[in-house]
């Protein structure tokens, strides 16, 4: 009876949505479309030209710091952003493209926290749609509409770093087939004109052909088929770095390794009018003034709020999400596996990502720390969960890398109880001059930034030159990029490599390297290829991976890569893909960065040590202690 009722409710909801699809799209989508998206042509064109200019160079870190030093009490910034994650860099880009004078400071590197440790999905939220249907929750439905619209924009605005990915949901009884098919057709319907591709059903035989490692038996039942739907996938930290670089090209002064240690307040009104900054590289301190400060520090936003008021009530409920990386044979290229509800009610997935397989995830309470580490039982949970759906032996020794990220789930400070904890974002100004934006998810970073900038403009009574234009703004490397762009690299460039004897020998720019450069750097890939060819930096950094020495030099010159960890974790993803391979590549990476940044011997040793310590937090089979786990 309960099963029939669930199907009837889902069917009724689908029918209602079909009948009123246009009405719903008008009601829900229109408020999220900025008025600027109509009639902002000349402004958008000029901003886009700046970001897309292939010959443009980013201001140096020294220039960016000087710009922040130049923001005085009589000549302040319009907005100072604290936090260099997806939301913070999104705020800086949004504000700068409205003609505002913007600064951004990040105490570590861009994307050093949560934004580099995500699920790598750009998604609308299938689970939220299920909640909306069965709880008759219109608010959840609005969230899904909004996220699906933003999903399409993220992919369109960074086409080299994002793509659509088919995801397979296995069904082991006919009820699941009907249930998932109807639910995912509703997901397609809600996406409307922002749909990526239509979902469809595949028989058991067709499913095994598409996903050879999928088990034919599961839950003591035989596979009846699968329903495949589409969501987006991204290289999260490279997208974040792209946001920071795009903001800098648009005129924002962005500075990594710059920590806010105190706020400056007006002596009369008490309003925040700037911040005391500590440069974590040079050790010097300076003041920078701003008409309003936006706190986008993710899980650490309460720490920033306490600088303004030590007695402020926390609004972050941190949740830990653990992911592991497995060899490529666990999943086929171009097809993911998502189980919406395992035997204990959790979601588990396996997705192809950068030539390997990413699996996850957990969702548990945690403490806030700079370098969260996954617990062995969390890794074992993921291995247990995926083993139920695979016909291959799942082994702990196959784990190439494992990491933990902290989700900053938010409580609205205006709410009367903690039941308001959600995945939606919260914007508040609970101290004059300090606007806090937190919560939300990667997919909706752009609209979160827009809401934060709108609030900051009201708070400081700013006068932007135009309204928000980021809805259709393509990020650095994305404008004019084409999936076939890699062929130019393969045909026109060679990889000049220095042998151990010092002799320079030419090497082919093979398809794997060319595709990697094209997807990682977009239209800027030719600049990386030119370094590989002209400066004899064409060697691979690690056997079996397409990352080149030239990338280290390019990122040091053009992407504010200031440390070894910056490169292995955020500019290339080697630390996340294969901890052991990253460790082997460290000495050469340090040598190239030392040349670029003029490091002395002691600094090189320090960088090498820091990178080794960082890699210890990634619990691969090489550096984890496990003895009696099920998956040996």
């Amino acid at each position: 009876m309960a099963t029939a009722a669930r199907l009837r409710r889902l069917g009724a909801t689908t029918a209602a949505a079909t009948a009123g699809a246009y009405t719903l799209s008008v009601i829900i989508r229109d408020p999220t479309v900025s008025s600027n998206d109509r009639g902002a042509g000349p402004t958008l064109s000029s901003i886009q030209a700046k970001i897309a200019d292939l010959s443009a160079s980013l201001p140096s870190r020294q220039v960016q710091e000087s710009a922040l030093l130049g923001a005085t009490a009589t000549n302040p910034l319009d907005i100072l952003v604290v936090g260099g994650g997806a939301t913070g860099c999104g705020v800086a880009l949004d504000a700068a493209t409205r003609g505002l004078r913007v600064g951004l400071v990040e105490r570590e590197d861009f994307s050093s926290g949560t934004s580099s440790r995500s699920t790598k999905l750009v998604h609308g939220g299938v689970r939220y749609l299920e909640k909306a249907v069965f709880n008759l929750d219109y608010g959840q439905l609005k969230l899904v509409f909004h996220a699906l619209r933003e999903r399409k924009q993220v992919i369109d605005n960074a086409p080299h770093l994002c793509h659509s990915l088919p995801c397979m949901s296995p069904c082991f009884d006919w009820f699941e087939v009907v249930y998932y098919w109807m639910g995912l057709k509703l997901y397609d319907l809600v996406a409307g004109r922002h749909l990526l591709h239509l979902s469809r059903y595949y028989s058991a035989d067709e499913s095994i052909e598409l996903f050879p490692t999928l088990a034919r038996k599961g839950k003591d039942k035989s596979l009846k088929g699968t329903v495949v739907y589409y969501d987006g996938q991204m290289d999260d930290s490279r997208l974040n770095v792209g946001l920071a670089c795009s903001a800098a090209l648009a005129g924002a002064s962005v500075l990594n390794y710059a920590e806010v240690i105190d706020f400056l307040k007006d002596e009369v009104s008490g309003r925040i009018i700037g911040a005391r900054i500590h440069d974590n590289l040079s050790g010097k301190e300076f003041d920078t003034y701003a008409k309003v400060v936006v706190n986008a520090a993710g899980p650490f936003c309460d720490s920033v709020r306490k600088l303004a008021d030590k007695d402020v009530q926390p609004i972050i409920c941190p949740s830990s999400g653990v992911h592991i990386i497995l060899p490529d044979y666990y999943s086929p290229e171009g097809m993911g596996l998502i189980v919406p509800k395992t035997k204990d009610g959790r979601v588990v997935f396996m997705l192809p990502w950068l030539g390997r397989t990413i699996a996850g995830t957990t969702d548990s309470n945690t403490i806030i720390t700079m370098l969260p580490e996954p617990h062995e039982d969390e890794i074992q949970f993921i291995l247990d969960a995926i083993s139920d759906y695979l016909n291959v032996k799942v082994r702990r020794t196959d784990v190439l890398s494992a990491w933990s990220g902290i989700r900053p789930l938010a409580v609205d400070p205006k709410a009367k109880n903690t039941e308001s904890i959600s995945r939606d974002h919260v914007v508040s100004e609970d101290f004059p001059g300090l606007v806090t934006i937190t919560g939300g998810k990667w997919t909706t970073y752009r609209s979160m930034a827009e809401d934060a900038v709108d609030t900051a403009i009201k708070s400081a009574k700013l006068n932007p030159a135009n309204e928000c234009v980021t809805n259709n703004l393509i990020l650095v490397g994305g404008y004019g990029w084409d999936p076939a762009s890699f062929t130019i690299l393969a045909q026109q460039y060679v990889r000049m490599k220095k042998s151990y004897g010092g002799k320079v020998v030419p090497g082919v720019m093979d398809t794997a390297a060319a595709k990697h450069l094209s997807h990682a750097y977009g239209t800027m890939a030719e600049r990386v290829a030119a370094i590989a060819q002209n400066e004899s930096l064409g060697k691979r950094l690690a056997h079996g991976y397409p990352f080149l020495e030239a990338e280290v030099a390019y990122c040091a010159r053009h992407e504010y890569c200031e440390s070894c960890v910056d490169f292995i974790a955020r500019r290339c993803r080697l630390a996340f893909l294969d901890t052991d391979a990253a460790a082997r590549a460290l000495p050469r990476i340090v040598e190239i960065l030392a040349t670029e940044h003029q490091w002395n011997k002691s600094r090189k040793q320090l960088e090498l040590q820091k990178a080794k310590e960082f890699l210890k937090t990634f619990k691969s089979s090489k550096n984890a202690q496990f003895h009696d786990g099920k998956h040996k």
Side-chain angles (χ1 to χ4, degrees), residues 496-566:
M496 302 302 289
K497 303 179 285 185
K498 281 183 183 174
S499 66
Y500 290 111
K503 185 179 178 181
V504 177
V505 294
V508 174
M509 182 66 76
D510 55 275
T511 301
K515 279 187 174 180
H516 157 65
L517 293 180
S518 179
H519 282 279
Y521 301 92
T523 54
M524 298 298 173
E526 285 196 59
R527 296 173 74 169
V528 186
I531 294 172
Q533 178 173 282
N534 301 333
E535 300 181 32
S536 303
L537 290 173
K539 264 189 180 178
R540 278 182 162 80
L541 289 167
H543 178 71
Y545 293 90
F547 309 117
L548 305 182
E549 294 173 334
E551 296 178 62
V552 185
Y554 176 84
C555 293
R557 297 171 196 175
H558 303 292
E559 291 188 352
Y560 301 117
C561 179
E562 302 295 333
S563 75
C564 196
V565 171
D566 290 355

Side-chain angles (χ1 to χ4, degrees), residues 217-293:
K217 292 279 186 182
K219 307 179 182 178
D220 299 320
K221 300 176 182 177
S222 60
L223 183 70
K224 299 298 187 292
T226 61
V227 181
V228 174
Y229 73 101
Y230 288 78
D231 258 326
Q233 190 177 51
M234 63 178 168
D235 184 340
D236 52 4
S237 71
R238 284 216 55 81
L239 181 56
N240 197 156
V241 170
L243 283 167
C245 294
S246 298
L249 289 169
S253 301
V254 300
L255 192 66
N256 54 356
Y257 294 98
E259 182 175 2
V260 172
I261 56 174
D262 203 1
F263 283 124
L264 310 175
K265 297 179 182 178
D266 184 272
E267 293 180 359
V268 177
S269 66
R271 180 184 175 88
I272 290 175
I273 55 172
R276 182 76 176 167
I277 310 294
H278 180 267
D279 186 326
N280 288 330
L281 294 182
S282 68
K284 70 179 179 182
E285 294 183 4
F286 61 91
D287 292 339
T288 190
Y289 288 81
K291 296 173 185 175
V292 62
V293 176

Side-chain angles (χ1 to χ4, degrees), residues 257 281 552 556 561-567 586-608 610-611:
Y257 294 98
L281 294 182
V552 185
C561 179
E562 302 295 333
S563 75
C564 196
V565 171
D566 290 355
F567 184 78
L586 287 179
R588 182 61 182 141
I589 294 169
V590 169
E591 286 299 323
I592 298 170
L593 285 175
T595 301
E596 295 296 324
H597 293 311
Q598 290 82 50
W599 290 343
N600 57 26
K601 187 177 180 180
S602 62
R603 175 65 188 272
K604 288 196 288 185
Q605 290 174 339
L606 178 63
E607 284 294 324
L608 193 60
K610 280 184 177 179

Side-chain angles (χ1 to χ4, degrees), residues 6-273:
R6 291 176 78 193
L7 279 176
R8 282 198 300 273
R9 181 175 289 185
L10 182 57
T13 305
T14 304
T18 305
Y22 176 76
T23 307
L24 276 171
S25 68
V26 170
I27 293 171
I28 296 176
R29 287 196 191 100
D30 275 5
T32 67
V33 177
S34 303
S35 59
N36 62 285
D37 291 338
R38 302 178 291 273
T43 302
L44 179 59
S45 298
S46 60
I47 294 167
Q48 187 67 79
K50 279 185 188 178
I51 294 172
D53 185 357
L54 297 180
S55 62
S57 292
L58 291 176
S60 69
R61 189 174 184 280
Q62 291 72 27
V63 170
Q64 299 286 47
E65 185 166 283
S66 295
L68 294 176
L69 276 163
T72 63
T74 55
N75 185 29
L77 299 168
D78 289 316
I79 296 176
L80 174 66
V81 185
V82 181
T87 305
C89 290
V91 169
L93 179 61
D94 186 308
T97 53
R98 298 197 204 195
L100 298 172
R101 189 177 171 211
V102 184
L104 179 147
V105 290
E106 160 59 50
R107 70 174 171 182
E108 294 288 325
D109 183 30
F110 306 119
S111 198
S112 59
T114 301
S115 296
S116 63
R117 296 167 177 261
S118 75
T119 300
K120 324 302 179 195
L121 283 175
V122 187
H123 64 105
V126 173
R127 285 181 298 160
Y128 307 140
L129 181 60
E130 186 180 33
K131 287 179 183 177
V133 171
F134 290 107
N135 298 333
L136 298 177
D137 189 333
Y138 181 69
Q140 289 277 1
L141 186 61
K142 282 178 67 177
L143 281 177
V144 178
F145 265 99
H146 177 62
L148 286 170
R149 176 183 177 275
E150 290 297 321
R151 177 188 70 175
K152 186 68 166 62
Q153 289 308 129
V154 171
I155 296 172
D156 288 348
N157 292 348
H160 57 305
L161 294 168
C162 308
H163 60 273
S164 61
L165 178 72
C167 300
M168 178 179 281
S169 291
C171 306
F172 290 94
D173 60 49
W174 291 111
F175 165 72
E176 285 186 341
V177 171
V178 176
Y179 183 74
Y180 288 151
W181 184 87
M182 291 179 69
L184 292 170
K185 283 299 177 187
L186 180 59
Y187 194 58
D188 292 346
L189 180 68
V190 171
R193 64 188 177 90
H194 305 294
L195 178 72
L196 300 179
H197 299 282
L198 283 169
S199 61
R200 62 158 292 183
Y201 165 77
Y202 288 94
S203 69
D205 288 341
E206 290 172 323
S207 301
I208 297 298
E209 188 176 343
L210 288 169
F211 205 110
T213 54
L214 181 63
R216 282 187 177 270
K217 292 279 186 182
K219 307 179 182 178
D220 299 320
K221 300 176 182 177
S222 60
L223 183 70
K224 299 298 187 292
T226 61
V227 181
V228 174
Y229 73 101
Y230 288 78
D231 258 326
Q233 190 177 51
M234 63 178 168
D235 184 340
D236 52 4
S237 71
R238 284 216 55 81
L239 181 56
N240 197 156
V241 170
L243 283 167
C245 294
S246 298
L249 289 169
S253 301
V254 300
L255 192 66
N256 54 356
Y257 294 98
E259 182 175 2
V260 172
I261 56 174
D262 203 1
F263 283 124
L264 310 175
K265 297 179 182 178
D266 184 272
E267 293 180 359
V268 177
S269 66
R271 180 184 175 88
I272 290 175
I273 55 172

Side-chain angles (χ1 to χ4, degrees), residues 277-584:
I277 310 294
H278 180 267
D279 186 326
N280 288 330
L281 294 182
S282 68
K284 70 179 179 182
E285 294 183 4
F286 61 91
D287 292 339
T288 190
Y289 288 81
K291 296 173 185 175
V292 62
V293 176
V294 174
N295 171 15
F300 300 95
C301 77
D302 280 336
S303 300
V304 175
R305 292 169 71 237
K306 284 181 179 178
L307 292 176
D309 178 2
K310 67 180 188 305
D311 297 321
V312 72
Q313 289 297 309
I315 60 173
I316 293 296
C317 291
S319 170
S320 168
V322 172
H323 300 82
I324 63 175
I325 293 289
L326 297 163
D328 56 352
Y329 59 74
Y330 274 84
S331 65
E333 185 179 354
M335 178 65 74
L337 181 75
I338 293 186
V339 181
K341 191 170 286 187
T342 59
K343 57 192 175 187
D344 66 350
R346 300 199 225 184
V347 176
V348 69
F349 61 82
M350 282 197 336
L351 311 169
W353 185 65
L354 300 183
R356 296 293 179 265
T357 299
I358 181 173
T361 180
T362 61
D363 191 353
S364 53
N365 294 332
T366 187
I367 59 170
I368 297 173
T369 178
M370 287 294 293
L371 285 177
E373 297 184 28
H375 297 297
E376 188 59 35
D377 59 344
E378 293 174 310
I379 295 171
Q380 291 289 343
F381 161 76
I382 295 170
L383 294 172
D384 279 343
I386 64 174
S387 68
D388 290 340
Y389 299 91
L390 299 179
N391 60 19
V392 296
K393 182 174 175 58
V394 178
R395 305 180 302 178
R396 178 63 176 85
T397 51
D398 284 339
V399 176
L400 301 171
S401 184
W403 71 89
S404 176
I406 301 174
R407 302 182 185 98
L409 304 184
V411 179
D412 190 336
K414 300 170 188 168
K416 294 180 181 177
N417 57 55
T418 57
E419 291 176 5
S420 61
I421 297 172
S422 76
R423 305 287 168 142
D424 197 7
H425 66 273
V426 172
V427 183
S428 64
E429 186 180 10
D430 44 15
F431 196 93
L434 180 65
V435 172
T436 294
I437 170 77
T438 192
K441 59 183 180 179
W442 235 118
T443 306
T444 57
Y445 84 87
R446 191 210 63 81
S447 61
M448 290 169 62
E450 183 178 352
D451 287 349
V453 175
D454 287 344
T455 303
I457 287 170
K458 290 176 185 175
S459 171
K461 298 181 174 60
L462 303 176
N463 294 303
N466 50 269
E467 294 186 21
C468 176
V469 297
T470 57
N471 192 55
N472 298 308
L473 185 68
I474 298 174
L475 302 182
V476 63
Y479 192 82
W481 180 83
D482 183 87
S485 297
F486 76 93
T487 57
I488 297 171
L489 304 177
Q491 292 176 346
Q492 298 184 9
Y493 292 89
V494 294
R495 296 189 294 117
M496 302 302 289
K497 303 179 285 185
K498 281 183 183 174
S499 66
Y500 290 111
K503 185 179 178 181
V504 177
V505 294
V508 174
M509 182 66 76
D510 55 275
T511 301
K515 279 187 174 180
H516 157 65
L517 293 180
S518 179
H519 282 279
Y521 301 92
T523 54
M524 298 298 173
E526 285 196 59
R527 296 173 74 169
V528 186
I531 294 172
Q533 178 173 282
N534 301 333
E535 300 181 32
S536 303
L537 290 173
K539 264 189 180 178
R540 278 182 162 80
L541 289 167
H543 178 71
Y545 293 90
F547 309 117
L548 305 182
E549 294 173 334
E551 296 178 62
V552 185
Y554 176 84
C555 293
R557 297 171 196 175
H558 303 292
E559 291 188 352
Y560 301 117
C561 179
E562 302 295 333
S563 75
C564 196
V565 171
D566 290 355
F567 184 78
I568 61 172
R570 270 91 60 176
R571 303 310 185 281
C572 95
R573 310 311 306 277
L574 198 50
F576 284 82
L577 290 169
D578 190 330
T579 307
D580 193 45
R584 292 194 299 270

